[in-house]
Amino acid sequence: MVQDLVGINFWTFLAMICNLFIQAYLVKRFLLKPVNEILEKRRLMADQEIRSAEKAKSEAQAIKSEYEQNMLEAKNKASEILATAQKTAAIQSEEILREASSQAAAIKAKAENDIAQEKRQAVNELKNEIGGMAMQIAGKVIEREICEEDHAKLIDEFIANVGEAS
């Protein structure tokens, strides 16, 4: 009896081997095949996600480079606008200074003309007053009436003499 327990029985051994092959076939068919299919699907899905991540990364790089390009263009445009504004301001300030200078020159010329006119007017008034006084003095000295022609002649002589004296 012990020999039956420890010994090898050919038919039992053959049944165990057949049972092992059947179990291996069943495990392969119903367990490993679905597991391998699931693993293959997950690998494909991971590959697809990696490809989409790489695509998104390249798109992000393109957007970043476009953004940097736009920022550079904006900085250049801002510098250009600033330079143009500075040039315009310089031109306007020069124009304002020129206009102010011309206005000052015009005001000065007008003032000089006004002064000259006032001077002429004052000289004419003085001539008239001096002429009148000279007539009165001459009339008293000569005690006769002087005609208008003589009067004008005396005034001119007097003014000429006063002009030479001054």
Side-chain angles (χ1 to χ4, degrees), residues 133-147 150-151 153-155 157:
M133 288 171 29
M135 281 297 286
Q136 288 175 354
I137 292 171
K140 286 181 181 180
V141 169
I142 299 178
E143 293 199 0
R144 64 180 176 104
E145 194 169 309
I146 301 173
C147 69
D150 290 337
H151 179 266
K153 197 181 213 182
L154 283 172
I155 290 173
E157 283 178 18

